[in-house]
Amino acid sequence: MSVAVYLDGITKRFPGVVANDEVDLEVEAGTVHALLGENGAGKTTLMNVLYGLYRPNGGTIHLNGEPREFATPRDAIDAGIGMIHQHFMLVDTLTTAENIVLGHEPRKWGGLAVDRERAEREVRELSQRYGFDVDPEARVEDVSVGVQQRVEILKALYGGADVLILDEPTAVLTPQEVEDLFGVFDELADQGKTIIFITHKLGEAMEAADDITVLRDGKNVGSVDADATTREELAELMVGREVLLEADKDPANPGEVGLAVSDLRVTDDRGVEQVSGVDIEAREGEVFGIAGVDGNGQSELVEAVTGLTTPEEGRVSIHGEDVTGLSRRDRIDDGMAYVPEDRQERGLVMEFDLVENGLLGSQHAQPYAEGGRIDWTETRGHAEAIIEEYDVRPPDPDADAKSLSGGNQQKFIVGREFARDPDVVVASHPTRGVDVGSIEFIHDRLLDLRREGKTILLVSSKLDEVQQLSDRLAVMYEGEIVDIVDPDRVTEEELGLLMAGEIPEDAPSIADSTGGER
Amino acid sequence: MSFGRLPTDRRLLAGVAGLVLAALLAVEVLFPANPVTDVGAVLVTIVADANYVSSVLRLTVPIAFAALGGIFAEKSGVINIGLEGLLIISAFTSLAAAAALGGGDPNQTQLWLGFGIAVLVSTLFALLFAIVCIEFKADQIIAGLAVWLIALGLAPFASKVIWGQVNSPTIGTFNNWTIPVLSEIPFVGPVLFDASPMVYMLLVAVVASWYALNRTSFGRWIEASGENPKALDTVGVDVRRVRYTGVLLSGFLSGIGGAGLAIGRVGQFIGGGTTMVNGRGWIGITAYLFGNYNPFGAFGASFLFASLDALQFRLQQVGYNIPSELIGIIPYVTVVVVLAFVGRTRIPSAAGDHYESGEE
């Protein structure tokens, strides 16, 4: 078989970081190749180099044996490379066909009009050839995310792509849509297309790819045959050491209900109901997990619980006391800490230094403030304590939040929130985009709080995380809780079904089994 | 897809009904001595008059041209709130150029030359605005305000330099184009087939704009450039060029509107106060928002606003003295109501944002 893409010693430096360090990559024509690695391993950077978005600082790109240089994506597209980004490059107000032919519209009447019949016919033919179900006349904003992704793929194919790069294509899909996508990969590969997809999920890489290349810290740490490798080998390559697949977790010792949510309904800005009657009772000394594909109402649920939005209906209470009408600040005073899902948008003020960021949420409270004046000595000491305890790097309280890496930003937020000595912790994707070391650290701190008898609500789309940490696990789908299961007994397959809104026959449901006798 | 994305016709219908009702109510409150039935009868007489409709069409010209221009600019992603300034510049330039060519009494050819020069100057002004916004990434709103304020100061000043006063002398206007036979049709004839060339140009421009936006590649690119410029960039279409074209078109079309107002209808440049343009560029913006960026919708809204303006004159003539200020705010109130309640005027997602190729 011939080699379609050969990257030879690609190096890409950004100010202060080496994102790709002499990376080699060899992809055979007509195969599916997974680029596996943790967040920040340099996968997307490498593909952006191949796609002409970045100029490499060193190394060469070979396409079908020829050395090539791409100054812009246009050059890469002309050479037959198509890239499907994580955020789709689609125009919502145009139809799928209009998007697919954008920039290459077939014309009639001497170029005076777009030949829409021809465009739609060509799109329909292309769509059928690869077994896609895409309606050329539908508006992009009216079709599902899975279909939008196919529109992106068709757009690349229409542009003449032979090599398709997909950046985290499964992140936005339901498990069923993921299956369909992998079917599409096979079909494309059978018809001679070469596919490179980026993922940080080793299960997906093993399932969908023929070959897997693992990146770690910007280096290629190994390329393996997907059929001849094991999960353990891949995991080890990814993190560079044996992974602790189990966190140290004592048996649960649940007490009173710490955080209760009853019949909660939340409507978003557009008037669409996102949370439809959710009931939760999280107990002291318990981690109550919420799993689900992103966008099934978890964010809205958390916002209503923490006081960032007002629910249409329902009640939120802390230790039996109704806090539904209380502001965010009142809830902080009532002992609710919150690790937000978007640390740069909600967790930190990026332009502030760590001293100021450490004060956020306590700016009105003793001992940091009195009578409207802030005690900066006290505040600085507080920031220094967080930095010390949570190993935030660089250990400089005067550094601006934006100068820290994502993982260190997250550690600082977690430190600040846990330092409130909270009764109830709401943690939303607390380890998203965080390196392995920090993940373990944050997990341990969460379990410490659990041991101290705090109530913890944990929302995450990472299955292993919620499964490992939770004592009970609720699965959300389209704004409702499909089921509450025992995370130690539920299988990944069962969780997958639940996340797609189906209840498997023998799911280990537990409505409130840890409640016990009171 | 004959009327764009949304049922613009229905929106307009609702708008018209609401406005007529509001006008009747206002009259009822202001003139309790005359019962509404009376006013209704007067209104019907006015509206059914061919002269009235003709004058409304002429009043529509500057508003609708500004609106069409604004559509191209904003759909491409550059909000041009300097339309008012472009109207002022072209109104002044047309007069100055025609007077320079033909003295106090230019002939039709000289008027047309003045018209052409005015359109060119307005387009050049728009080019300046585009360079500042696209090349130097100036805030579009501030740059647009600057265009207006500069025009508002520059035109009367230049008038003073040339004519010694802010108003120009009166010169001729374009002759009407009368189409044989068709102009004999009752009502329709005098309105549509014995009209100012500006009216014909407007009708052509509305259809051409709709066609360009909805049927050509360029229209798709304008849409993409305002909605998701990166999507356009990654398929190899130069977003900057599309945006330049959109803004230049806004200058070109506003130029026709402003020159059409000055030497198409009035025959003079009036530079006092808010100048003869008197907010028509701003109303143009409300018109395209009301019309949801659809050229037909924008034309309908312009026509509606112009008809209210004309109605107020007529009502004054028959003894109902409605303050013109009250009528003047109706377009703005309408647009606020439409944006807030009737809803779903869809502003292009990337309008107002700078776009730099290659940025992550």
Side-chain angles (χ1 to χ4, degrees):
Chain A
M1 266 208 257
S2 68
V3 174
V5 175
Y6 174 47
L7 300 181
D8 182 14
I10 297 289
T11 298
K12 176 65 190 173
R13 278 185 287 269
F14 293 109
V17 205
V18 182
N20 290 147
D21 188 3
E22 300 197 6
V23 178
D24 295 341
L25 176 71
E26 207 176 299
V27 183
E28 283 184 7
T31 64
V32 180
H33 198 105
L35 203 53
L36 181 68
E38 293 196 284
N39 292 317
K43 310 177 296 271
T44 303
T45 305
L46 186 67
M47 288 300 103
N48 282 343
V49 167
L50 174 57
Y51 190 56
L53 274 168
Y54 297 150
R55 301 295 295 273
N57 300 99
T60 38
I61 299 169
H62 300 260
L63 201 63
N64 300 318
E66 307 263 325
R68 303 294 290 259
E69 266 187 51
F70 304 135
T72 65
R74 185 74 245 162
D75 297 342
I77 293 168
D78 289 343
I81 296 174
M83 183 156 175
I84 289 98
H85 297 83
Q86 230 169 331
H87 300 285
F88 298 151
M89 304 273 179
L90 296 174
V91 182
D92 285 348
T93 51
L94 298 181
T95 66
T96 60
E98 285 171 331
N99 267 286
I100 290 164
V101 303
L102 187 69
H104 313 92
E105 291 90 352
R107 302 184 191 184
K108 59 184 179 185
W109 303 344
L112 279 178
V114 175
D115 191 341
R116 290 194 300 176
E117 288 75 27
R118 196 174 128 203
E120 282 170 11
R121 193 179 62 238
E122 285 176 354
V123 166
R124 198 170 279 125
E125 282 167 8
L126 196 63
S127 171
Q128 277 161 5
R129 188 165 140 205
Y130 296 102
F132 292 9
D133 181 25
V134 171
D135 173 8
E137 292 171 55
R139 249 169 234 295
V140 162
E141 63 192 348
D142 296 333
V143 302
S144 73
V145 174
V147 173
Q148 290 184 7
Q149 191 171 54
R150 281 158 202 221
V151 172
E152 279 278 27
I153 296 174
L154 285 174
K155 194 166 98 177
L157 294 171
Y158 188 85
D162 289 315
V163 177
L164 286 171
I165 307 166
L166 295 98
D167 189 359
E168 300 269 3
T170 60
V172 289
L173 302 182
T174 64
Q176 183 52 46
E177 284 175 324
V178 170
E179 285 301 313
D180 294 346
L181 178 70
F182 291 163
V184 165
F185 282 1
D186 290 339
E187 184 64 40
L188 288 167
D190 284 348
Q191 299 200 30
K193 305 291 181 188
T194 307
I195 291 158
I196 307 174
F197 77 100
I198 296 175
T199 182
H200 60 262
K201 296 176 183 161
L202 43 90
E204 283 179 1
M206 290 183 67
E207 185 185 344
D210 301 309
D211 301 290
I212 302 170
T213 293
V214 183
L215 288 193
R216 183 190 350 130
D217 296 334
K219 296 191 179 77
N220 179 347
V221 290
S223 293
V224 294
D225 184 336
D227 293 330
T229 186
T230 61
R231 296 177 76 91
E232 286 68 27
E233 184 192 13
L234 286 177
E236 215 179 304
L237 282 172
M238 278 173 78
V239 299
R241 60 187 161 86
E242 297 265 358
V243 201
L244 293 175
L245 286 171
E246 284 297 319
D248 287 331
K249 199 166 106 178
D250 314 326
N253 186 19
E256 300 285 310
V257 173
L259 174 72
V261 170
S262 59
D263 194 30
L264 195 75
R265 288 177 192 278
V266 184
T267 307
D268 69 10
D269 310 340
R270 296 170 302 154
V272 181
E273 187 170 272
Q274 295 290 349
V275 178
S276 314
V278 163
D279 295 289
I280 288 171
E281 283 194 346
R283 299 182 175 276
E284 293 171 349
E286 164 182 75
V287 176
F288 189 93
I290 294 181
V293 177
D294 278 354
N296 276 291
Q298 301 97 313
S299 306
E300 289 78 7
L301 171 66
V302 165
E303 285 177 4
V305 167
T306 52
L308 294 169
T309 55
T310 314
E312 299 292 299
E313 272 179 48
R315 220 175 92 106
V316 178
S317 52
I318 299 177
H319 292 299
E321 185 201 341
D322 188 353
V323 299
T324 318
L326 296 189
S327 67
R328 175 81 203 108
R329 174 157 151 184
D330 289 335
R331 290 183 211 210
I332 292 174
D333 292 342
D334 280 357
M336 180 190 281
Y338 171 38
V339 179
E341 96 180 67
D342 187 337
R343 58 179 160 257
Q344 304 196 343
E345 193 72 35
R346 290 247 160 106
L348 298 167
V349 179
M350 301 305 280
E351 317 300 324
F352 280 11
D353 61 31
L354 294 184
V355 175
E356 292 162 322
N357 270 300
L359 180 66
L360 294 182
S362 317
Q363 65 277 10
H364 59 286
Q366 297 264 20
Y368 309 109
E370 181 152 16
R373 288 183 57 241
I374 290 167
D375 181 344
W376 287 109
T377 320
E378 192 72 37
T379 306
R380 170 174 293 269
H382 178 57
E384 282 168 349
I386 297 172
I387 291 168
E388 163 91 32
E389 190 183 346
Y390 285 82
D391 188 29
V392 178
R393 292 181 210 176
D396 173 12
D398 293 317
D400 285 346
K402 63 169 185 274
S403 69
L404 270 58
S405 73
N408 282 296
Q409 289 172 356
Q410 189 71 16
K411 281 195 284 188
F412 189 80
I413 294 171
V414 169
R416 180 185 73 202
E417 294 303 318
F418 291 1
R420 293 189 203 291
D421 190 22
D423 286 332
V424 175
V425 176
V426 179
S428 194
H429 305 276
T431 60
R432 181 178 274 177
V434 173
D435 58 278
V436 184
S438 306
I439 289 176
E440 275 188 10
F441 186 82
I442 291 170
H443 284 178
D444 288 346
R445 283 293 176 281
L446 274 171
L447 291 177
D448 287 345
L449 288 172
R450 168 175 171 271
R451 203 171 299 122
E452 291 165 21
K454 315 294 188 192
T455 309
I456 297 161
L457 182 69
L458 172 70
V459 177
S460 176
S461 50
K462 289 193 206 164
L463 277 187
D464 47 352
E465 178 169 276
V466 273
Q467 226 177 329
Q468 219 178 91
L469 295 178
S470 306
D471 299 304
R472 284 185 294 153
L473 182 54
V475 183
M476 271 188 92
Y477 177 72
E478 294 194 341
E480 290 175 24
I481 288 186
V482 187
D483 200 2
I484 300 177
V485 294
D486 180 348
D488 294 332
R489 291 196 293 135
V490 73
T491 64
E492 211 164 293
E493 289 69 34
E494 285 165 342
L495 274 178
L497 280 172
L498 286 168
M499 284 166 71
E502 293 165 42
I503 299 182
E505 273 175 22
D506 51 352
S509 302
I510 38 166
D512 195 8
S513 69
T514 50
E517 313 76 30
R518 276 182 288 155
Chain B
M1 214 181 65
S2 65
F3 255 90
R5 294 181 31 67
L6 290 158
T8 308
D9 43 351
R10 268 209 340 247
R11 292 153 54 97
L12 275 179
L13 206 66
V16 173
L19 286 173
V20 169
L21 212 68
L24 288 176
L25 262 171
V27 170
E28 180 80 337
V29 170
L30 288 167
F31 309 101
N34 307 53
V36 165
T37 47
D38 222 34
V39 179
V42 173
L43 277 176
V44 169
T45 328
I46 293 174
V47 173
D49 179 6
N51 276 331
Y52 170 74
V53 182
S54 292
S55 78
V56 168
L57 266 179
R58 286 195 299 273
L59 279 169
T60 307
V61 167
I63 301 174
F65 269 114
L68 290 178
I71 292 176
F72 279 103
E74 191 157 328
K75 271 192 102 77
S76 80
V78 182
I79 302 171
N80 185 354
I81 65 162
L83 298 174
E84 173 87 2
L86 297 173
L87 289 182
I88 295 174
I89 283 292
S90 52
F92 165 77
T93 311
S94 66
L95 238 293
L101 291 164
D105 185 23
N107 60 30
Q108 288 288 311
T109 316
Q110 287 160 334
L111 284 178
W112 277 107
L113 274 172
F115 175 85
I117 292 169
V119 172
L120 188 69
V121 168
S122 169
T123 311
L124 286 176
F125 241 73
L127 175 66
L128 214 63
F129 169 74
I131 291 173
V132 167
C133 288
I134 299 171
E135 229 60 57
F136 297 102
K137 300 185 185 168
D139 185 283
Q140 295 170 2
I141 302 299
I142 293 171
L145 280 176
V147 169
W148 172 50
L149 290 169
I150 289 169
L152 196 59
L154 196 60
F157 170 72
S159 288
K160 272 195 168 167
V161 170
I162 299 174
W163 297 298
Q165 51 171 9
V166 292
N167 298 345
S168 79
T170 307
I171 59 171
T173 60
F174 293 137
N175 295 334
N176 273 9
W177 288 356
T178 309
I179 293 168
V181 187
L182 287 176
S183 57
E184 306 295 323
I185 305 171
F187 194 85
V188 178
V191 171
L192 280 181
F193 302 109
D194 182 15
S196 158
M198 293 301 122
V199 170
Y200 297 117
M201 280 174 101
L202 175 60
L203 298 177
V204 171
V206 169
V207 176
S209 298
W210 182 87
Y211 182 87
L213 287 170
N214 290 288
R215 287 290 179 269
T216 65
S217 295
F218 173 68
R220 314 286 77 194
W221 299 351
I222 286 263
E223 176 98 28
S225 165
E227 282 293 335
N228 188 349
K230 192 145 201 167
L232 191 62
D233 193 20
T234 50
V235 294
V237 178
D238 188 341
V239 173
R240 288 180 348 138
R241 265 168 70 176
V242 173
R243 290 190 166 184
Y244 269 113
T245 315
V247 176
L248 287 181
L249 274 172
S250 76
F252 178 79
L253 291 163
S254 302
I256 299 178
L261 173 67
I263 55 174
R265 188 161 69 88
V266 181
Q268 189 191 11
F269 176 73
I270 304 164
T274 52
T275 78
M276 68 193 305
V277 174
N278 196 16
R280 291 193 172 84
W282 298 111
I283 296 178
I285 295 177
T286 65
Y288 73 69
L289 289 173
F290 189 17
N292 198 23
Y293 300 89
N294 180 321
F296 288 113
F299 172 76
S302 304
F303 187 85
L304 185 66
F305 295 150
S307 68
L308 283 169
D309 202 10
L311 189 63
Q312 170 239 333
F313 277 119
R314 295 286 163 132
L315 282 173
Q316 235 165 43
Q317 282 167 3
V318 294
Y320 293 96
N321 203 358
I322 299 176
S324 62
E325 289 80 6
L326 204 64
I327 300 286
I329 63 169
I330 287 180
Y332 304 108
V333 173
T334 317
V335 86
V336 168
V337 170
V338 166
L339 289 179
F341 301 111
V342 185
R344 303 299 163 196
T345 284
R346 179 159 178 164
I347 297 168
S349 309
D353 296 345
H354 301 295
Y355 180 74
E356 185 73 33
S357 183
E359 265 180 16
E360 266 303 271

